[in-house]
Amino acid sequence: MLDIQADAAPDRRPTIVICAWDTDETGWDPVEDLSGVAWNPAGARTVPVAGDDPETLAGTLQAHLEQRGCRALLLVGRTGHGESFRVQMRAENRVLNGSRRLDDTGPGVARATAPVAEIVEALTDAGLMAAASSESEPDAGSYLLYCILSGLPDGIDSPAIALLRAPAAASDAAMQRAVKAAAEAIARHLAPLPRYHSP
């Protein structure tokens, strides 16, 4: 008798971690239906991470990015600026309350590694007003973005890290559409995982 489990090909799709950092955020639900299975874009699979205390969450997200196959992180939250979705391109080296530098030896600014222009285009194609922003907002989202980016090891194979902000008044449906569009844009830039052979 054939062992179907053993004969199944390994999943070579890269992983995108999606995290809505605010514990009160209800706009992004990774499970679309009663199956309980998280939504996935073509060519990648998603791992949802729930919001938490920012310092704890930073460690959780860094641990995910250290796992083999994890190639991207999409942070999701809100903005108080305007009525457009914003893709934040950078984060400043500041503690949560903004009173001082987070890391005395770290760079003053860390830049997102995800394809920002393609994400903005995907949001626009999904019927949403969207723009890229260089403004670092003083909240947990910017704190997490800086922590994650500054903690990446040096090298050309860095994961794609992005921060998507929805307008405060955006509906849950618009948030869902935006997150999916952003994740799909990121997924298009991710290569399948290499084949791993057991020793």
Side-chain angles (χ1 to χ4, degrees), residues 29-134:
D29 181 359
V31 179
E32 291 188 298
D33 52 39
L34 298 178
S35 70
V37 177
W39 169 84
N40 295 303
R45 66 185 188 92
T46 59
V47 172
V49 173
D52 202 342
D53 167 80
E55 293 181 353
T56 302
L57 192 53
T60 300
L61 295 173
Q62 286 168 335
H64 275 283
L65 288 168
E66 290 169 2
Q67 294 181 9
R68 185 175 71 187
C70 187
R71 302 302 308 134
L73 167 63
L74 177 60
L75 294 166
V76 180
R78 299 279 175 168
T79 178
H81 301 292
E83 299 179 357
S84 296
F85 283 83
R86 294 156 60 95
V87 182
Q88 185 171 318
M89 295 190 295
R90 64 181 202 154
E92 295 177 0
N93 182 354
R94 308 302 294 173
V95 295
L96 273 169
N97 65 12
S99 62
R100 58 183 172 79
R101 289 173 66 95
L102 173 66
D103 183 348
D104 289 337
T105 60
V109 171
R111 300 190 179 279
T113 56
V116 172
E118 287 87 341
I119 294 173
V120 171
E121 183 178 4
L123 294 169
T124 303
D125 289 346
L128 302 165
M129 290 192 301
S133 173
S134 293

Side-chain angles (χ1 to χ4, degrees), residues 16-32 37-41 46-51 74-78 164 166 170-184:
I16 302 173
V17 171
I18 301 179
C19 175
W21 68 79
D22 189 338
T23 55
D24 295 326
E25 178 59 65
T26 60
W28 167 243
D29 181 359
V31 179
E32 291 188 298
V37 177
W39 169 84
N40 295 303
T46 59
V47 172
V49 173
L74 177 60
L75 294 166
V76 180
R78 299 279 175 168
L164 172 66
S171 67
D172 288 359
M175 174 74 93
Q176 296 272 346
R177 202 157 76 246
V179 172
K180 289 180 180 181
E184 287 167 349

